[in-house]
Amino acid sequence: VGLETAKKARAPLTRERVLRAAVELADERGVEALTMRALGQELGVEAMSLYNHVKNKAEILSGIVDVVCEEILAAVDQIPPPDDPADWKPVLRARILAARQVLLQHRWAPAQLEALRDIPPSLIGYYDEILGLMRGGGFSLDLGHHAMHALGSRALGFAQELFVEADHDIDPDVMTMMLKQMAGRYPHMADLMKIVVHDPESTLGGCDDQFEFEFGLDVILDGLDRLREAGWQSPAHT
Amino acid sequence: VGLETAKKARAPLTRERVLRAAVELADERGVEALTMRALGQELGVEAMSLYNHVKNKAEILSGIVDVVCEEILAAVDQIPPPDDPADWKPVLRARILAARQVLLQHRWAPAQLEALRDIPPSLIGYYDEILGLMRGGGFSLDLGHHAMHALGSRALGFAQELFVEADHDIDPDVMTMMLKQMAGRYPHMADLMKIVVHDPESTLGGCDDQFEFEFGLDVILDGLDRLREAGWQSPAHT
DNA sequence: ACCTGAACACCGTTCAAGT
DNA sequence: ACCTGAACACCGTTCAAGT
């Protein structure tokens, strides 16, 4: 029995175990903390041992992106396909929101995925299903193609927002002074700040990331739906 | 006269000159090639001299992002404001496309901008003008707020596409085999490949980045316009 | 005030050596 | 077959020393 636990404490290193530990490390301390030496330490092994299971660090980085992609695929598969193919929209919407929930647990994943030279093969299946949903809903192959480009990485739940952290705790007095200063140069943004700051849980939505994501997603999905309805055709049809 | 040229050859180092050289280096060889030592060499100086004009490398990175932001602002300022405030849409569209042209010359900029903890102050003015355009066109502050989130980094010309390089030169025989293999697992993507590969300059748009960007942008702008027209209100109006 | 050379701590990675 | 220790080339950065 004691031998059993001793074995467990130093389970044999495998590519799988290395990648799982790498994901965990990136989740907890960020990708910049994911060094070969730190990862080795996490696994109770010297950094150089990792090279027995992985070609180099680039392979670790693409590997942990793959792990997250698999998680996304698993989460998205939970969403049942539409009973009526005309219901492509709510199903696609639900799938994308499910993908987003996975990404929220791996904040480093978007940047890392974008840094990859080639798209992970697993994602081809994901986009294939999206295109299938759309075509089932009445999209031409042509329109479906452009629709996928329009969704872009948002199809995976990427937020694509620049204002990540607006909620530093700021002294209210300092804030009112900043607002006054802003009002001169940036009148519209100043108006906006008044809403967002003074009314963080307001009916206006404040800066609720989830709300903003769904709002933007719906603008796109509804827009695409309208184009399908109108029988959109490529403009340069010579 | 000889003294003059000698002076020019080793002009005094300034923060401006350091940043301009850094942008140039990143443009030509990528951000990963932008090291303190390489930048120093480019300026004919030891790496350590840079610290006299810049606090550290992080300041260089945020500095070159600022340079690009200034370029964007300059390009966007060339677009005249609408004669009739109701014409917010074509003007906003033109501004965003102008911003994109700048970014295309600094491919490293999007990732670098997203990596910044705080948004560059210069961009606040940019977004202020966007919000102003929208409000002039009849957007409520509330709708304009969500509209800015929906545009996100696309307002700066970010493409947000995952499939960056689909145009590796591939042997046509290998390609047809790949297509056959794909058709089983990924029928819709296989159909798509047929269009894109066999017809790269087709009326369907192939994978023309410029076309796809404008298509996606129009889906969003048109969608936002419809919401304005319909007098959109925040759903949770208790 | 600005630049330099040596040095330090930290990377990814190679390689010969261990078991 | 898998792991280790020493070493190498390359980072960003510090510091004392030059002018």
Side-chain angles (χ1 to χ4, degrees), chain A residues 180-197:
Chain A
K180 206 160 257 169
Q181 241 182 344
M182 264 184 74
R185 290 168 65 83
Y186 312 121
H188 304 290
M189 290 298 273
D191 287 349
L192 191 51
M193 293 283 275
K194 278 182 223 151
I195 288 179
V196 174
V197 172

Side-chain angles (χ1 to χ4, degrees), chain A residues 168-182:
Chain A
H168 313 288
D169 289 320
I170 305 181
D171 184 292
D173 291 348
V174 176
M175 179 54 86
T176 50
M177 218 175 62
M178 275 178 53
L179 277 178
K180 206 160 257 169
Q181 241 182 344
M182 264 184 74

